[in-house]
């Protein structure tokens, strides 16, 4: 039904502005209050009692209370990536990338369970403000290591990502058969792995990439019932914004029998009429989102007015039916009911959770266990010989505490524990230097230093020094100091790409901008606009101009002045658009960072250099990296310390692969950790001194050079040779890599129709954990296959000399891939290589498995075939057929082509028919076996059709040629093709 316009508008206004009346006791006669009725019946009863205005109001992130039905307010979206974020002190676990390097689903599930309990604890504190719909985990594949949000994901591999996301989601959701502890929402659907122009770039996914790579990562947690929904991403997928992605209903909801609640990303609905310009009005945009499968609109913070107005208009204009609205409400209420909201508290065990669980001793112990397990030992060799001495035979790690009485722990991350944007607030932190000092105790000496330069900046025009005056917004930084005293000194932290942060020596706070004066206020660089970033740009006369490099410089509305000047009150100000008109400063080095670190390292038994990234600066939301190199001054620091002390360990603390080629070649030991939360320092110390044996394994390929990386916007990993699946080069560290303080031997494999069995023996002198990895490869196939593909893994803990038998399940169905010729999964008949080892390149044992599956028949183009189901392409891209559904091939220039392999032409087709569109007349050649030299069967003329969605059927007679051939469609100009038929 359509509600009368005036009545509906008045009702909507009333919902928005009426004060919430005190909730009255529920009427027992309401069936939706009866916990013994079927869930579907309860949901239908509640939805049926809502007015049209109430229904629309519930489609916003902030769902208002319905007092007359005793329905409380509900808010989607509590961030819970590696701990509950933004709600106060909470247990902070390692970043998601660190959780994944454990390769331990049971541990990840326990971490998820702890985070879910703490979310319940926060909800008990503030039921209206602290919601139980949690936006975690992030399932986006780590295809490109430059992605700014790399730390939020798990792996470049869809199988491993699926295992980890399922485990974390199960922990968040709890294990009750009826009730949810929290409602996990997978982020960000779909193919979101770049931040540059993320609202307007399109992730191009041919069918196999879509099904075997992207869907394969999201499907497991949904199919297992572990996750309760997905969040749409900002980007476009094959030319269509993900906010209106039709596969939400057509694909994702087919993976499970349970209802799912789909939410948009923040402000993404507005992008449809904003930067994406995909719909003319917000009513059209919101209607399209609901029809695609979006249930909850995350738009304009807690203000629902624009969303309600647009949805109201959509129903009035007939763009959205009330049945569409009711479907969305059913999805929403399916989650709310399962959270126990409408049941007596005694029925729901999670309702008894109190705030006491937050930062509990149990969770602190789990945080330490997780921090221990995520460490990856990248290198461990004997130290090189000192001048005139002999090379040691024993690997440097683990360090013997009895022989290590003086340790230097230096580097820009030695004395800090950074948190990232989606981190919670840790109740305490242990830095690497603190961890080492605590481990060694009072009998040892731990010296340190951050290894950064301390400088003073003198205004050349006045001779005065930049001086910190305090730590509040009222304490503007001035240029009034007459001498380079402590208040005029700043420690310079280099984060690469020329980006620096300046920390006041007087108060320990970072220089930053606050939309007014410059102040030294913040304990670490932070905020959505990271306002503590600068560049010191050398000028020809030896002075420096200071460029403010905060994130807001990327915004078109930000004032054009980027360079610092000195205002009439003697304060720093943003007052110059170029370096030429900026204030000039002399840089005076008060203390050299490398020199002080070398002095500490030279007299130590061992030097630990802690380098890495700053999570708010080295890539994060809205900001990709342009390089994976270590910051120049950090690389120089490592070299200087290594020259001073051969017993040097590099602790690399960051959240993405880094090109540490020199370090790998020259430093005896390298230990990687993510920004691992409150227990980072204790975990690092425990591994250095052998209290724990590192067992983490990498979940991404570490490339040797940025030159190996293609455009971050090219998602076709098969074509670009990205990830271990297709990379043919020699990586710095391969997928699955990680060393141990012990060694392991593998027996010959035993393979049958249900799995692979191998005996693993600890051949060393220490207990340790080996992660046995199972890969497969099909050499002869109709389609291009990965070089190898992870199919399973098992962690096995072994005492010295102990042997255990490990079984990894593997069935024929696990070997399926997407057949583009028939649009379904297929298991090809053939002989499969079974590869078992310690990483993707360290294969210890092999076997073969003969599988009787299918032989893919020749492709049949006698009936219309979706053009985008090609087997190969060059230059072409994928676009939307209509705004609602469909994918088509688009060429933007001449000689771009698509290929359909092994087509059975029979006696020879006589006509080619295309469904096509073009802005200007174009032609499409039909060739056999080669796009340039192949036999030309005919050329289809495509007229100007009047728009991208104006499709027409065009055809041409063909030169007869029979048999089986590869068929090419070669474009001579810009055009789009939706279907192809050779009849």
């Amino acid at each position: 039904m359509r509600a009368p316009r005036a009545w509906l508008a008045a009702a909507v206004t009333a919902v928005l502005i009426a004060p919430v009346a005190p909730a009255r006791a529920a009427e027992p006669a309401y069936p939706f209050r009866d916990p013994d009725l079927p869930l579907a019946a309860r949901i239908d009863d509640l939805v049926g009692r809502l007015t049209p205005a109430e229904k629309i109001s519930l489609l916003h992130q902030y769902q208002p209370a319905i007092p007359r039905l005793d329905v409380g307010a509900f808010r989607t979206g509590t961030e819970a990536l590696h701990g509950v974020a933004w709600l106060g002190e909470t247990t902070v676990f390692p970043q998601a990338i660190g959780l994944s390097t454990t390769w331990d689903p049971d541990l990840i599930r326990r971490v998820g369970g702890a985070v879910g309990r703490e979310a319940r604890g926060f909800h008990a504190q503030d039921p209206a403000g602290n919601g139980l719909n949690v936006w975690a985990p992030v399932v986006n594949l780590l295809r490109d290591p430059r992605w700014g949000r790399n730390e939020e994901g798990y792996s470049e591999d869809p199988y491993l990502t699926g295992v980890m996301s399922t485990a974390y989601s199960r922990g968040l959701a709890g294990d009750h058969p009826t009730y949810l502890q929290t409602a996990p929402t997978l982020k960000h659907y779909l193919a979101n792995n770049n931040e540059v122009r993320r609202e307007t770039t399109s992730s191009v996914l041919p069918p196999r990439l879509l099904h075997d790579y992207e869907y394969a990562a999201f499907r497991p947690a949904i199919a297992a019932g572990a996750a309760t929904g997905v969040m749409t991403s900002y980007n476009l997928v094959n030319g269509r914004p993900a906010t209106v992605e039709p596969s939400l209903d057509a694909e994702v909801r087919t993976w499970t029998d349970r209802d799912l609640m789909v939410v948009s990303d923040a402000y993404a609905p507005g992008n449809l009429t904003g930067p994406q310009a995909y719909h003319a009005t917000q009513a059209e945009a919101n209607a399209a989102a609901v029809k695609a499968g979006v249930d909850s609109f995350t738009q304009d913070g807690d203000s629902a007015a624009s969303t309600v107005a647009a949805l109201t208009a959509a129903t009035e204009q007939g763009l959205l039916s009330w049945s569409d609205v009711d479907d969305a409400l059913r999805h929403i209420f399916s989650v709310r009911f399962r959270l126990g909201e409408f049941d007596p508290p005694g029925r729901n065990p999670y309702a008894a959770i109190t705030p006491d669980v937050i930062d509990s001793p149990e969770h602190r112990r789990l945080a330490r266990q997780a921090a221990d397990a995520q460490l990856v030992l990248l290198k461990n060799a004997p130290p090189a010989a000192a001048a005139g001495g002999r090379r040691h035979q024993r690997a440097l790690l683990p360090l013997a505490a009895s022989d290590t009485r003086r340790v230097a722990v230096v580097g820009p991350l030695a004395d800090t524990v950074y948190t990232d944007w989606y981190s919670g607030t840790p109740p305490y932190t242990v830095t690497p230097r603190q961890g080492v000092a605590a481990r060694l105790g009072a009998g040892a000496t731990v010296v340190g230093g951050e290894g950064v330069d301390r400088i003073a900046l003198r205004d050349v025009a006045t001779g005065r020094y930049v001086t910190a005056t305090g730590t509040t917004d009222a304490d503007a930084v001035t240029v009034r100091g007459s001498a380079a005293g402590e208040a005029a000194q700043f420690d310079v932290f280099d984060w690469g790409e020329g980006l620096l942060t300046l920390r006041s020596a007087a108060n320990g706070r970072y220089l930053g901008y606050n939309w007014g004066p410059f102040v030294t206020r913040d304990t670490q660089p932070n905020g959505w606009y990271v306002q503590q970033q600068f560049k010191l740009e050398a000028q020809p006369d030896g002075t420096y101009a200071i460029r403010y490099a905060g994130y807001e410089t990327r915004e078109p509305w930000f004032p054009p002045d980027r360079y610092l000047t000195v205002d009439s009150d003697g304060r720093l100000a943003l007052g110059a658009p170029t370096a030429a008109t900026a204030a000039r400063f002399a840089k005076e080095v008060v203390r050299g960072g490398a020199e002080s670190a070398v002095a500490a390292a030279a007299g130590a038994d061992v030097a630990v250099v802690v380098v890495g990234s700053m999570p708010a600066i080295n890539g994060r939301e809205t900001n990709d990296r342009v390089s994976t190199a270590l910051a120049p001054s950090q690389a120089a620091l490592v070299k200087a310390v290594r020259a001073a002390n051969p017993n040097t360990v590099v602790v690399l603390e960051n959240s993405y692969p880094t090109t540490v080629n020199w370090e790998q070649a020259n430093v005896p030991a390298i230990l990687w950790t993510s920004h691992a939360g409150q227990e980072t320092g204790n975990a690092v110390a425990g591994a250095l001194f052998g209290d724990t044996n590192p067992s983490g394994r990498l979940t991404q390929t570490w490339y040797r050079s940025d030159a190996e990386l293609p455009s971050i916007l090219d998602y076709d990993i098969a074509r670009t040779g990205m990830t271990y699946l297709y990379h043919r080069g020699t990586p710095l560290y391969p997928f699955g890599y990680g060393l141990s303080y012990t060694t392991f031997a593998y027996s010959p494999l035993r393979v049958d129709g249900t799995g692979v069995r191998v005996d693993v023996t600890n051949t060393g002198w220490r207990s340790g954990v080996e992660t046995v990895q199972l890969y497969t490869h099909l050499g002869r196939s109709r389609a291009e296959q990965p070089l190898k593909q992870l199919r399973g893994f098992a962690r096995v803990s072994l005492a010295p000399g102990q042997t255990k038998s490990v079984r990894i399940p593997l069935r024929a169905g696990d070997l399926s891939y997407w057949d583009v010729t028939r649009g379904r999964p297929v298991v090809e008949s053939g002989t499969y290589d079974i590869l078992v080892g310690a990483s993707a390149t360290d294969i210890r044992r092999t076997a073969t498995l003969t599988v009787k599956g299918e032989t893919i028949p020749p492709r049949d183009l006698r009936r219309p075939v979706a053009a985008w189901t090609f087997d190969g392409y060059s230059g072409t891209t994928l676009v939307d057929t209509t705004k609602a559904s469909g994918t088509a091939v688009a060429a933007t220039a001449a000689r771009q082509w698509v290929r359909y392999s092994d087509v059975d032409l029979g006696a020879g087709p006589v006509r080619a028919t295309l469904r096509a569109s073009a802005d200007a007349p174009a032609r499409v050649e039909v060739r056999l076996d080669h796009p340039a030299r192949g036999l030309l069967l005919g050329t289809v003329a495509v007229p100007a059709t009047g728009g991208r969605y104006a499709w027409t059927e065009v055809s041409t007679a063909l030169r007869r040629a029979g048999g089986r051939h590869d068929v090419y469609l070669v474009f001579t100009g810009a055009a789009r093709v939706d279907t192809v038929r050779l009849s």
Side-chain angles (χ1 to χ4, degrees), residues 619-709:
R620 52 147 278 187
E621 192 162 0
T622 75
N623 187 54
D624 293 315
R625 282 172 293 279
V626 299
S627 173
T628 58
L630 196 62
S633 68
Q634 295 189 29
L637 177 68
V638 172
K639 292 179 179 179
V641 172
R642 168 62 187 82
N645 191 328
N647 297 329
T648 292
V649 182
V650 168
V651 174
L652 186 58
E653 184 178 345
N654 65 12
S655 14
Y656 53 89
T658 307
T659 49
V660 285
N661 296 289
W662 186 92
E663 292 77 9
Q664 171 62 23
N666 295 280
V667 175
I670 306 174
L671 181 70
W672 177 88
T673 177
S674 72
H675 294 281
Q678 58 205 50
E679 287 287 337
T680 297
N682 285 333
V684 167
L688 293 177
F689 289 95
D691 303 331
T692 56
N693 189 346
S695 62
R697 302 292 183 265
L698 298 179
T699 62
Q700 288 178 271
T701 301
W702 287 42
Y703 302 94
R704 290 184 175 273
S705 168
D706 291 333
E708 295 185 79
L709 305 178

Side-chain angles (χ1 to χ4, degrees), residues 587-612:
K587 183 177 74 171
E588 300 176 3
V589 178
V590 178
R591 184 182 68 210
E595 291 84 350
S596 60
V598 164
D605 298 316
V606 64
V608 179
V609 190
V610 191
V611 294

Side-chain angles (χ1 to χ4, degrees), residues 559-622:
D561 294 335
R562 301 287 190 264
Y563 287 86
L564 273 61
T565 56
V566 181
D567 68 15
S568 58
D569 293 326
R571 301 184 306 181
L572 285 181
L574 276 183
T578 66
T581 55
R584 298 296 180 90
F585 296 91
K587 183 177 74 171
E588 300 176 3
V589 178
V590 178
R591 184 182 68 210
E595 291 84 350
S596 60
V598 164
D605 298 316
V606 64
V608 179
V609 190
V610 191
V611 294
S613 67
M614 201 286 129
I617 292 175
N618 294 119
R620 52 147 278 187
E621 192 162 0
T622 75

Side-chain angles (χ1 to χ4, degrees), residues 131-482:
L132 294 174
N133 169 237
V134 294
W135 289 352
V138 170
V139 184
N140 298 117
L141 292 160
L142 306 183
R143 163 195 65 94
D144 193 303
R146 294 166 298 186
W147 184 35
R149 304 178 74 171
N150 195 84
E151 76 273 6
E152 297 182 36
Y154 289 129
S155 171
E156 69 185 21
D157 178 73
Y159 173 81
L160 183 58
T161 296
V163 170
M164 293 303 182
S165 60
T166 300
Y168 193 71
S169 296
R170 283 195 188 281
L172 289 170
D175 54 9
H176 195 275
T178 302
Y179 295 104
L180 294 167
Q181 178 171 249
T182 65
T185 298
L186 307 181
K187 302 198 300 185
H188 311 80
Y189 186 86
L190 179 71
N192 177 202
N193 189 229
N194 65 274
E195 296 300 296
V196 56
R197 304 190 305 277
R198 61 180 181 173
E199 297 91 351
T200 55
T201 55
S202 180
S203 304
V204 177
L205 306 176
R208 274 200 65 195
L209 183 64
L210 177 65
H211 285 268
D212 293 345
Y213 195 62
E214 294 292 343
Y215 285 169
F218 280 88
R219 186 187 303 114
I222 297 292
T228 61
V230 299
M231 171 191 281
T232 61
S233 55
Y234 288 116
N235 55 287
L236 288 74
V237 178
N238 293 341
R240 182 183 294 107
T243 310
V244 291
E245 171 57 41
S247 63
L248 292 167
D249 273 349
E251 185 72 27
V252 177
R253 285 195 160 104
T254 68
W255 297 339
T256 178
D257 294 331
R258 286 195 178 273
D259 274 338
L260 302 173
M261 182 175 70
V262 176
V263 304
S264 79
D265 208 337
Y267 293 86
N271 291 340
L272 293 168
T273 55
Q276 293 166 345
Y278 200 69
H279 288 285
T281 69
Q282 203 61 48
E284 295 174 47
N286 285 14
V290 172
K291 286 179 175 293
V294 172
D295 307 308
S296 179
F297 288 77
T298 314
Q299 181 71 38
D300 297 333
D302 60 0
S303 174
S306 66
T307 297
V308 168
L311 289 169
T312 301
T315 60
E316 293 170 346
Q317 297 167 23
L319 301 171
L320 192 64
S321 71
W322 288 106
S323 63
D324 294 327
V325 174
D326 287 352
D327 283 345
L329 290 171
R330 289 187 184 95
H331 300 147
I332 291 169
F333 280 122
S334 71
V335 170
R336 291 182 64 170
F337 271 90
R338 292 178 65 199
L339 286 168
E341 179 181 345
F342 302 101
D343 291 3
R347 297 285 289 260
N348 174 13
Y350 301 118
I353 294 176
T354 69
D356 293 341
V357 301
I358 300 170
D359 185 34
S360 67
E362 176 191 357
H363 292 175
R364 289 188 174 195
R365 289 191 293 271
L366 185 60
R368 171 64 191 275
Q369 185 179 354
D372 287 339
Q374 54 94 46
L375 294 165
V376 182
L377 184 60
L378 298 176
K379 182 181 180 182
N380 191 25
R390 297 173 54 190
R391 183 184 180 92
H392 297 280
Q393 297 304 309
R394 178 184 171 278
L396 180 57
L397 297 180
L399 303 171
S402 58
D403 298 330
T404 309
R405 308 317 299 160
R406 185 177 178 87
V407 179
V409 183
V410 298
L413 283 86
D415 293 329
T416 190
V417 173
Y418 286 123
T419 56
D420 58 52
W421 177 247
Y422 287 104
S423 174
T425 302
Y428 64 91
T429 58
V430 181
T431 70
R433 183 145 64 115
Q434 289 171 337
V436 170
R439 171 60 182 81
L440 289 177
T445 300
V446 178
V447 297
E450 292 167 306
V452 300
D453 289 345
R454 177 165 290 184
I455 67 170
L457 294 166
R458 179 171 50 82
D459 178 24
V460 174
T462 64
R464 297 288 180 173
Y465 288 88
V466 177
T467 304
T469 63
T471 62
T472 73
D473 284 353
D475 299 315
V477 172
T478 66
V479 186
R480 296 174 181 167
S482 59

